[in-house]
Amino acid sequence: QVQLVQSGGGFVQAGGSLDLSCAASGSILRVNTWAWYRQAPGQQRELIAQITRGGVESYQDSVKGRFTISRDNVLNIVYLRMNSLKPEDTAVYYCTADLQETDRETYQTYWGQGTQVTVSS
């Protein structure tokens, strides 16, 4: 079994910055893709950033130019750097890893526990 443990959530004022991290542990052969999702109260969960093992990044339009996703393939950690935060960024943020385990042939997706990010005016 694989575990994803997140850290870095908290409170920040509008215009500020915050960094999130997500570390995967267990019997991991390789991570194919990492992603960050968020879910605000009363709204659907949305994909906001994704990065491949080779480092190809993609972003939701609402966070382009403000958020940066990166990954460490050796330590199996994904990061999200959030700059110029807005109140509408307030949500629970989740990381996911699409990965192959040592005892399985196919890739499976694992989710982190989620962390609250609150941006105040």
Side-chain angles (χ1 to χ4, degrees), residues 18-31:
L18 198 64
D19 292 340
L20 306 181
S21 66
C22 173
S25 62
S27 301
I28 302 168
L29 285 178
R30 66 185 67 84
V31 178

Side-chain angles (χ1 to χ4, degrees), residues 31-91:
V31 178
N32 186 39
T33 59
W34 296 92
W36 287 97
Y37 290 78
R38 68 184 182 187
Q39 186 169 25
Q43 300 184 28
Q44 293 190 119
R45 187 168 55 208
E46 62 174 346
L47 174 67
I48 59 170
Q50 189 174 108
I51 189 168
T52 69
R53 183 175 183 83
V56 179
E57 305 161 43
S58 60
Y59 299 93
Q60 154 77 233
D61 286 342
S62 64
V63 307
K64 283 182 180 177
R66 300 189 299 120
F67 291 10
T68 303
I69 188 171
S70 60
R71 86 280 178 266
D72 187 322
N73 288 336
V74 176
L75 298 178
N76 289 140
I77 301 174
V78 66
Y79 306 92
L80 186 68
R81 172 156 290 181
M82 302 182 290
N83 297 323
S84 302
L85 283 162
K86 306 173 182 179
E88 49 263 48
D89 294 319
T90 296

